[in-house]
Amino acid sequence: VAGPPFIVAPPLAAFMAPQLMITRIGNDAPGQAVRAEFERFAMSEAGLQLDAMEETGRVLVERSARGHRFTILPNQAYDFIDRDAALIVAEGVQPGIVYFGTLAQRSERSRTTLNALLGATTALRYLDLNLRDGQYEERTVTRSLQAANIAKVNEEELQALFQWYFQIKPEGPALSAEEVRASCQALLQMFSLDALILTLGHRGSAYFSVDGQVITHRDNPAPPFVIDTVGAGDAFSAIFLLGKMRNWPLELTLARANEFAGAICAIPGAVPRDLGFYDQWMRKWR
């Protein structure tokens, strides 16, 4: 199924953290595969809607020596998440954190549903920007940032924000560390964010707080080998959210999120096929 939430939810379930995923699937073989994953991770299907017409969302991933490229198909079931059904499900829980992104907002119906869900809760909002070519509009990004408390971006996404809001072109002179810090602080103020997280791949991450605090974490154990990086950013988000839920110290949360994301790069696919993958982390973090 397309979208980071389907990659973020399983680790939370594997670590016994309560979660509810709201999405929509088709009445097809990929939809059955999604249901099988829900069952494998003992995830609630309360927020799983069934579409009788549209297909279950798929993303085609092309891997090369230079990384991976996504082909995201149009008119998928997750573009038609029903507002009323989603609100009914959400009324039965009291979320501490709402995780959302931009892909599900490419269609008016799912965008309206997300806005209704955000408007119905006072929970912390975590935005994983996750920009994909041709799948978003600048106004959607702006509204998402305005709705968020914490936003996570990668380097390319941060460059896009700098270009849109500060006219800093990526082909121009490289920014100094102080200029990057000042620009990130300006984004925090512009959108009333509590924090902005910048993921840097194998180089770690940086956390910019509205109070001016900057935490960088670069001491990451390198994975023994890298198979692919698909899902690494989503794995980072999953462990960051887990740390927020369990009140881990911020620096420890960032360190664990970085290390777990690196480990995901050493397995095929974004979600481990063997649930035993999580055992080492449970023992290590206990």
Side-chain angles (χ1 to χ4, degrees):
V1 63
F6 189 64
I7 304 175
V8 171
L12 292 175
F15 290 119
M16 307 300 177
Q19 37 62 48
L20 173 68
M21 181 175 171
I22 297 177
T23 189
R24 194 173 180 92
I25 60 173
N27 187 20
D28 49 22
Q32 291 301 316
V34 169
R35 280 190 153 155
E37 285 296 275
F38 270 66
E39 182 176 354
R40 186 165 73 100
F41 283 91
M43 293 164 53
S44 170
E45 293 190 15
L48 192 58
Q49 301 179 10
L50 183 63
D51 196 300
M53 297 181 60
E54 306 298 340
E55 296 181 344
T56 301
R58 291 183 297 139
V59 174
L60 307 180
V61 182
E62 298 179 23
R63 296 182 176 86
S64 68
R66 293 183 296 177
H68 52 265
R69 185 171 70 88
F70 295 99
T71 300
I72 301 176
L73 304 179
N75 298 321
Q76 304 288 275
Y78 67 80
D79 289 315
F80 303 93
I81 302 173
D82 183 75
R83 174 185 178 275
D84 292 341
L87 286 174
I88 289 172
V89 171
E91 285 178 358
V93 299
Q94 294 182 340
I97 304 173
V98 175
Y99 172 95
F100 70 104
T102 53
L103 182 57
Q105 298 184 65
R106 66 179 184 172
S107 69
E108 182 178 358
R109 187 171 181 184
S110 288
R111 184 169 59 249
T112 298
T113 298
L114 175 61
N115 290 336
L117 289 169
L118 292 174
T121 181
T122 58
L124 179 79
R125 289 98 176 273
Y126 181 100
L127 167 65
D128 190 345
L129 207 56
N130 202 45
L131 301 182
R132 300 299 178 196
D133 289 343
Q135 306 300 318
Y136 64 89
E137 297 178 350
E138 184 180 335
R139 63 179 179 179
T140 298
V141 174
T142 297
R143 290 170 181 169
S144 296
L145 288 166
Q146 290 170 338
N149 300 114
I150 299 174
K152 192 217 80 173
V153 299
N154 61 28
E155 292 177 275
E156 291 182 359
E157 291 162 348
L158 186 64
Q159 287 180 346
L161 298 184
F162 285 176
Q163 183 172 3
W164 292 338
Y165 303 121
F166 307 133
Q167 288 73 55
I168 300 174
K169 297 183 179 180
E171 62 270 18
L175 298 180
S176 68
E178 285 303 316
E179 288 172 325
V180 171
R181 177 181 296 195
S183 297
C184 287
Q185 286 297 324
L187 285 173
L188 290 168
Q189 297 294 333
M190 178 181 293
F191 295 107
S192 300
L193 291 166
D194 296 330
L196 177 69
I197 302 172
L198 172 62
T199 54
L200 301 164
H202 68 279
R203 304 194 323 276
S205 62
Y207 180 96
F208 301 88
S209 174
V210 69
D211 62 6
Q213 181 185 28
V214 180
I215 300 174
T216 57
H217 197 281
R218 300 180 184 275
D219 186 21
N220 304 311
F225 49 84
V226 174
I227 293 181
D228 69 54
T229 59
V230 175
D234 307 320
F236 177 98
S237 288
I239 303 307
F240 183 86
L241 295 174
L242 182 67
K244 291 290 289 184
M245 296 168 70
R246 295 187 173 171
N247 296 313
W248 294 344
L250 180 57
E251 293 194 26
L252 179 63
T253 298
L254 294 170
R256 289 177 171 177
N258 285 325
E259 186 177 6
F260 186 80
I264 289 294
C265 295
I267 64 170
V271 179
R273 300 306 307 170
D274 181 7
L275 293 181
F277 175 88
Y278 299 99
D279 293 343
Q280 59 178 311
W281 304 102
M282 290 182 182
R283 291 192 299 267
K284 190 173 183 178
W285 297 343
R286 184 173 295 124

